[in-house]
Amino acid sequence: MKKTTFIFAFFLIVATAFAQKPTDVLMTIEGEPILVNEFERVYKKNLELVKDESQKTIDGYLDLFIDYKLKVAEAYAQNLDEDKAYKREFTKYRDQLARNYVNETRLFEGIAEEAYNRGKEQINANHILIKVGYDALPQDTLKAYNKIKSLRERALAGEDFIALAKQNSEEPGAKERGGDLGYFTVFSMVYPFENMAYNTPVGEISDIVRTNFGYHVLKVNDRRIRESPIVVSHIMITEKKDDPSFNPEERINELYKMLQQGSNFEELAKQFSDDKNSAKLGGKLKAFSRGQLRSDSFENSAYNLQNPGDLSKPIKTRFGWHVLKLEEKMKERSFEEQKEDLYRKIKKGDRSKVISTQVTQDIIKKYGIKRYEYLDFFDEYASDEITKSKWKITDTLTGDRNKVVFTIGNKDIYYDEFAEYIYYRQRFAEKKPTKRDYIENMYNEFESIEIKEYLNEQLESENPEFGAIIGEYRDGLLIFDVMKKNIWQKAKRDTLGLERFYQTVASNYSWDERIDAEILSGGDSAKIQEAKAMLEAGKTAEAIKAALNTNDKVHIIISSGRYEKNDATLPEGLAFQKGVSDVLSNGETYSVVNIKEVLPPSTKTFEEVKGRVMSEYQNQIENDWINSLQAKYKVDVDKRTLKKLKKRYK
């Protein structure tokens, strides 16, 4: 189970309410008071979500609430709040939530709208790169800048841009490609480069732009509207590990011929496609655009289809063999429909740095900052080992040597805190050519982190809503961890206990009546009648297939295995009797079934139902654990307060 899914699902049932003013105490757990306002807010918030009618009463819901609080108490008792993974996860969420309380949300919205509008177009360009890192010495940076400036001036004067790129660009492969970037769109390039590309008119030479690769100048050759999303259906056939003789290419070609002969695509997809998720929908996939899938061949084949209903020839991808059918050419999704996807991409890319810088400046503007000299001291204090990520703090900074490095709001940040940051961060920090540059870069990181941490601290005390949501998530993480440790992992590791438990519940899991059979299917009822006669004459399914699939036409497809009643693979109306069945219709296809054996109802083996048994076993362990918590912790409910509460909701 994913942690975030668990937490939010859990709080649909039980959640901590927003901060309340002091009021009556509803109960105490080991002396810790829990206010009636907290319970009342949760009760009203989640009442409609509770399915068990008995838990919709005040008394019934109170039992849920107490169990929730006991789990939180036990998590603290087991020191799970000190776990590094917990702290990392909690800090990450708190930082994300804080964005809603500063201008970061607004900044995200603006950059997302810009990305959405840019994503409507694709740009074709060539570029020239002169390499230089941000950590280069000033003289090297100047040399690189002067070189790119000279090349830009030559391009503006009329020299062939591609020739200049082949002769001078330091991009790998520039001599062969001449800086050709092909067509690209939003998020394809680093953000500064993308900005320059989209702000340069077609046919013109850009200004100089610097990225982490170096200095660039580019020429925009063309702009075109990006192709709209499309919807396709597919039938996918993969190799079968349990049947080495099965040939997926042969099967896809058989299906393709049946489609050409008029068979229904949706019916064949439901019956034969190995992509079970789309097979249930007749092979239909979600809409996609170029670049979204992990298969160029699939995308190219799909976009080559012109009209709804057009079929592709069989193609092979790394997933298997496919036949595609075009369903729809769609209109572009609106900004609101794409917003969440855009936000995820922004957070992962270098746009987030632009937003982070602006947020830091906004916090400074709100609370104020005072900076003090630090560089000379740390240049002397830290040895040269720092640039090799091997520096160790050799003496403690105390007294006059432990000065304030900066003050944000009313909080002082000291030299020793910065020294600790350098020590732990040095293994992962970007290397700089000099020790001073290295320390200065580390300080900028440190200051930004501390400024945002200060904001989070202020939000918890200044904003009741923020504090309540943070408290809810904090408890949710702890409950996830305490359940994982005491329930899920315990059940997973106790293999002997799980097998013993299976013996007590095995009668709850059974197979219905099944058949061991071969199914011969096709779109021509006459051919299926021939197949029936041949089966009755003792011919094998493979022999029948070879005899009837002639003249490059596919009339018979064979499936074999064990099938339970109501299996979607079986034709409707099939009688579970040993021998050859009647010819039965299944949509627009026909089938005859050779039933080799009828298997009576039986108990499923442990391996066949292990997942479901594990879930039941976990439930039993959890019930026992909750009983132990109820015995361990003293819970005192104020009967007078509870009576008042029940009276209000009667």
Side-chain angles (χ1 to χ4, degrees):
M1 181 182 292
K2 291 184 178 179
K3 184 176 290 188
T4 51
T5 303
F6 166 81
I7 291 165
F8 289 112
F10 186 86
F11 280 107
L12 288 176
I13 305 300
V14 184
T16 305
F18 292 162
Q20 303 290 326
K21 294 179 180 179
T23 185
D24 294 340
V25 173
L26 176 61
M27 61 182 176
T28 61
I29 297 179
E30 293 294 311
E32 289 292 324
I34 297 171
L35 305 181
V36 69
N37 281 1
E38 179 181 351
F39 173 83
E40 190 172 8
R41 183 65 176 265
V42 174
Y43 180 66
K44 290 189 291 185
K45 177 181 176 182
N46 296 310
L47 186 60
E48 293 183 2
L49 302 173
V50 177
K51 296 180 180 180
D52 188 338
E53 290 297 322
S54 67
Q55 294 175 338
K56 289 188 175 184
T57 65
I58 293 293
D59 286 329
Y61 198 84
L62 184 62
D63 290 338
L64 288 177
F65 189 72
I66 290 173
D67 287 348
Y68 157 69
K69 287 293 186 181
L70 291 177
K71 291 175 183 177
V72 174
E74 182 63 14
Y76 280 108
Q78 295 182 19
N79 296 319
L80 297 181
D81 58 315
E82 298 297 325
D83 183 76
K84 289 182 180 179
Y86 160 79
K87 289 183 175 181
R88 182 168 58 249
E89 187 81 15
F90 174 70
T91 300
K92 179 181 177 182
Y93 177 80
R94 187 184 62 181
D95 291 345
Q96 290 175 342
L97 182 64
R99 294 170 181 170
N100 297 322
Y101 295 84
V102 292
N103 288 332
E104 192 161 356
T105 299
R106 176 181 56 79
L107 294 169
F108 261 101
E109 183 100 4
I111 287 185
E113 287 182 354
E114 175 192 72
Y116 171 75
N117 291 323
R118 287 180 177 179
K120 297 176 182 178
E121 287 188 311
Q122 291 178 314
I123 290 179
N124 183 283
N126 292 67
H127 81 127
I128 298 171
L129 166 67
I130 301 301
K131 291 182 178 181
V132 62
Y134 282 115
D135 57 354
L137 295 170
Q139 56 266 35
D140 293 332
T141 301
L142 180 61
K143 181 180 177 181
Y145 178 80
N146 287 335
K147 186 174 181 179
I148 198 73
K149 180 182 178 183
S150 173
L151 291 169
R152 179 175 183 270
E153 290 171 350
R154 289 168 63 183
L156 290 171
E159 287 194 47
D160 182 75
F161 192 91
I162 294 176
L164 285 171
K166 287 183 176 181
Q167 295 164 10
N168 300 280
S169 181
E170 296 173 3
E171 177 194 19
K175 290 183 179 180
E176 294 76 29
R177 297 194 302 270
D180 180 22
L181 298 170
Y183 282 94
F184 59 90
T185 188
V186 64
F187 297 113
S188 301
M189 305 292 177
V190 291
Y191 189 46
F193 190 96
E194 177 193 303
N195 278 335
M196 189 60 71
Y198 275 92
N199 290 323
T200 302
V202 173
E204 294 192 12
I205 307 299
S206 74
D207 289 333
I208 297 168
V209 58
R210 189 174 187 182
T211 72
N212 54 316
F213 300 105
Y215 286 112
H216 309 253
V217 68
L218 58 145
K219 181 180 180 182
V220 175
N221 305 313
D222 187 29
R223 299 171 81 111
R224 70 182 185 190
I225 301 299
R226 185 172 60 85
E227 292 178 274
S228 297
I230 60 174
V231 178
V232 301
S233 294
H234 80 139
I235 299 172
M236 182 174 79
I237 304 298
T238 61
E239 293 182 355
K240 301 193 185 309
K241 295 180 180 179
D242 57 348
D243 186 2
S245 64
F246 179 79
N247 187 331
E249 183 178 6
E250 179 183 343
R251 172 58 61 90
I252 202 70
N253 284 321
E254 291 172 345
L255 293 168
Y256 179 62
K257 289 174 183 176
M258 291 182 71
L259 291 168
Q260 289 180 310
Q261 292 162 202
S263 293
N264 183 277
F265 190 100
E266 183 176 346
E267 294 295 335
L268 291 181
K270 287 180 178 179
Q271 188 171 1
F272 295 105
S273 180
D274 289 327
D275 180 1
K276 297 305 179 185
N277 289 328
S278 67
K280 292 182 291 188
L281 305 173
K284 193 172 183 179
L285 298 169
K286 292 182 179 179
F288 63 89
S289 300
R290 281 195 186 272
Q292 282 188 263
L293 304 183
R294 293 179 292 172
S295 174
D296 290 339
S297 58
F298 192 99
E299 287 183 359
N300 291 336
S301 181
Y303 271 94
N304 284 336
L305 301 174
Q306 298 300 312
N307 302 302
D310 285 355
L311 296 175
S312 75
K313 292 182 179 180
I315 63 166
K316 186 179 182 182
T317 71
R318 62 192 181 92
F319 303 104
W321 283 89
H322 314 256
V323 172
L324 316 182
K325 183 181 78 165
L326 179 63
E327 299 288 350
E328 181 185 1
K329 291 188 174 181
M330 300 184 66
K331 294 181 179 179
E332 189 65 46
R333 291 188 301 160
S334 68
F335 172 69
E336 288 299 322
E337 291 170 326
Q338 294 190 46
K339 184 188 287 188
E340 291 304 316
D341 289 338
L342 292 170
Y343 276 19
R344 280 192 290 271
K345 291 178 180 178
I346 289 168
K347 290 173 184 177
K348 292 179 180 178
D350 45 4
R351 283 170 166 82
S352 62
K353 296 178 182 178
V354 176
I355 296 172
S356 179
T357 299
Q358 185 59 54
V359 168
T360 300
Q361 294 305 314
D362 289 345
I363 298 170
I364 289 173
K365 185 177 180 180
K366 180 177 180 179
Y367 293 107
I369 190 170
K370 292 181 180 179
R371 298 182 177 93
Y372 303 96
E373 192 284 324
Y374 71 93
L375 191 53
D376 288 342
F377 173 83
F378 278 94
D379 191 26
E380 180 179 347
Y381 174 67
S383 69
D384 290 337
E385 293 292 294
I386 196 172
T387 59
K388 303 174 185 177
S389 303
K390 296 180 179 180
W391 177 66
K392 295 181 180 180
I393 299 175
T394 55
D395 55 341
T396 305
L397 293 175
T398 57
D400 292 339
R401 297 182 74 231
N402 192 28
K403 300 177 182 178
V404 174
V405 66
F406 72 91
T407 301
I408 175 69
N410 58 8
K411 182 179 181 180
D412 293 332
I413 309 298
Y414 292 91
Y415 276 25
D416 64 338
E417 295 174 89
F418 180 40
E420 287 288 336
Y421 179 79
I422 294 174
Y423 175 71
Y424 287 108
R425 180 72 174 87
Q426 62 182 324
R427 288 179 298 164
F428 312 103
E430 182 182 353
K431 299 299 183 289
K432 296 291 180 181
T434 69
K435 184 168 63 171
R436 289 180 73 89
D437 289 335
Y438 186 83
I439 293 171
E440 193 169 16
N441 190 57
M442 296 277 268
Y443 172 80
N444 292 334
E445 289 182 6
F446 173 71
E447 183 184 270
S448 179
I449 291 170
E450 290 294 334
I451 287 172
K452 290 179 181 178
E453 179 65 24
Y454 180 77
L455 171 69
N456 290 334
E457 293 170 359
Q458 300 310 303
L459 281 174
E460 285 205 51
S461 60
E462 293 176 1
N463 191 304
E465 182 184 23
F466 180 87
I469 295 173
I470 282 297
E472 174 181 311
Y473 194 79
R474 179 189 289 114
D475 289 350
L477 283 177
L478 289 172
I479 288 176
F480 179 91
D481 289 343
V482 79
M483 294 281 285
K484 179 181 177 182
K485 178 180 177 181
N486 294 273
I487 308 299
W488 305 323
Q489 288 183 345
K490 183 177 180 180
K492 186 176 181 180
R493 292 168 180 165
D494 186 11
T495 55
L496 292 177
L498 180 62
E499 290 184 16
R500 285 195 298 269
F501 179 75
Y502 163 74
Q503 298 300 327
T504 67
V505 297
S507 60
N508 298 334
Y509 302 100
S510 60
W511 288 112
D512 200 348
E513 192 175 26
R514 291 180 294 164
I515 56 172
D516 184 356
E518 294 174 321
I519 307 169
L520 283 66
S521 305
D524 187 333
S525 62
K527 292 293 183 182
I528 300 301
Q529 287 287 357
E530 286 187 57
K532 178 179 185 298
M534 296 172 76
L535 280 171
E536 291 173 334
K539 297 288 186 182
T540 66
E542 289 297 331
I544 296 170
K545 176 180 173 181
L548 297 182
N549 290 352
T550 57
N551 299 324
D552 206 31
K553 287 190 176 182
V554 175
H555 296 293
I556 299 291
I557 286 181
I558 303 169
S559 300
S560 60
R562 290 186 172 185
Y563 304 95
E564 196 173 14
K565 280 187 176 180
N566 301 320
D567 191 305
T569 308
L570 299 176
E572 292 184 10
L574 176 67
F576 271 35
Q577 297 175 359
K578 189 173 181 179
V580 179
S581 75
D582 293 332
V583 173
L584 301 167
S585 63
N586 189 11
E588 295 186 17
T589 62
Y590 300 87
S591 301
V592 61
V593 183
N594 181 23
I595 300 178
K596 301 176 182 179
E597 185 180 3
V598 178
L599 305 170
S602 61
T603 300
K604 294 182 179 180
T605 66
F606 173 72
E607 289 301 325
E608 289 171 332
V609 293
K610 186 175 181 180
R612 294 170 63 188
V613 174
M614 173 69 79
S615 179
E616 277 197 49
Y617 188 45
Q618 288 176 347
N619 290 338
Q620 178 178 292
I621 293 175
E622 181 176 359
N623 289 334
D624 294 342
W625 181 62
I626 288 293
N627 290 335
S628 71
L629 296 183
Q630 292 170 349
K632 177 179 179 180
Y633 293 96
K634 184 180 180 182
V635 179
D636 289 323
V637 178
D638 189 306
K639 294 181 179 180
R640 184 177 178 183
T641 301
L642 179 60
K643 185 177 180 180
K644 292 179 183 178
L645 186 63
K646 290 165 71 173
K647 188 175 182 180
R648 282 206 302 273
Y649 285 92
K650 187 175 181 181

